[in-house]
Amino acid sequence: IISLDFILNTIAKVADINSDIPSISQPEVKRNRVKELLASHHSLFILDNYESLLSDPTEEQKVSLFLESLPIGSLRDEEISYIRVLITTREISTGLRTLPVDNVELQKLSLEDSVELMKSRTPERLRLTSPEISAKRTKVLAGSSLTTP
């Protein structure tokens, strides 16, 4: 089940496999530690299948409030170290509508069109080459981080 606690624990484990954040039982302390962790790096936070949260309105509200509390910035604010957020969903909740993000509704895109869309929305200085992507590829499996060559 997806919950704010699961999301916070996953962020902490991906950022630092030895993180003590997952053991924190106080929700406010855990949220603040994760926000500090995200803000201390150039961060891209990807939340896939957000619609899975909609079956539990209380949990969805917790997640949307957490997202709203993040210093989210657009790619136009290149000098400022904001957290970048990418959320995929088939349904947009009221909580998501209030976030200061670009809402891009997509139908079905080919692989080539998907790559072009991402390139068009990424400043040149942030684009990775294929060898860089291969060298830094990280897979998250069941909350664990596994770096692949």
Side-chain angles (χ1 to χ4, degrees):
I1 273 189
I2 301 294
S3 65
L4 178 59
D5 194 58
F6 174 81
I7 291 168
L8 297 175
N9 290 341
T10 302
I11 292 169
K13 288 178 188 177
V14 169
D16 177 4
I17 196 71
N18 298 314
S19 175
D20 67 335
I21 293 173
S23 65
I24 297 172
S25 61
Q26 300 165 318
E28 186 66 28
V29 173
K30 186 180 278 192
R31 281 192 301 272
N32 288 336
R33 289 279 307 277
V34 169
K35 284 193 291 190
E36 290 170 9
L37 181 65
L38 286 170
S40 68
H41 305 286
H42 291 286
S43 300
L44 171 62
F45 175 45
I46 300 172
L47 187 53
D48 193 19
N49 293 326
Y50 188 89
E51 69 273 8
S52 64
L53 284 164
L54 300 180
S55 62
D56 184 345
T58 303
E59 206 57 46
E60 192 272 332
Q61 183 180 23
K62 289 179 192 176
V63 172
S64 67
L65 288 172
F66 172 71
L67 292 170
E68 189 176 329
S69 74
L70 295 175
I72 297 173
S74 74
L75 292 176
R76 291 179 283 282
D77 301 323
E78 294 179 37
E79 315 77 50
I80 303 169
S81 186
Y82 285 112
I83 297 167
R84 307 302 198 243
V85 178
L86 175 64
I87 301 169
T88 66
T89 187
R90 288 175 178 81
E91 298 176 47
I92 300 174
S93 70
T94 304
L96 282 181
R97 288 187 204 287
T98 64
L99 295 178
V101 296
D102 295 333
N103 182 7
V104 179
E105 290 189 36
L106 303 176
Q107 300 305 315
K108 185 175 179 180
L109 293 179
S110 68
L111 176 61
E112 294 80 19
D113 289 342
S114 299
V115 170
E116 284 307 311
L117 173 67
M118 296 307 290
K119 283 182 181 178
S120 74
R121 300 188 61 82
T122 305
E124 186 66 38
R125 67 177 184 76
L126 296 179
R127 292 189 191 153
L128 298 176
T129 64
S130 290
E132 288 173 302
I133 292 169
S134 295
K136 295 180 179 184
R137 187 180 318 143
T138 300
K139 293 182 180 178
V140 177
L141 305 169
S144 298
S145 177
L146 171 65
T147 303
T148 58

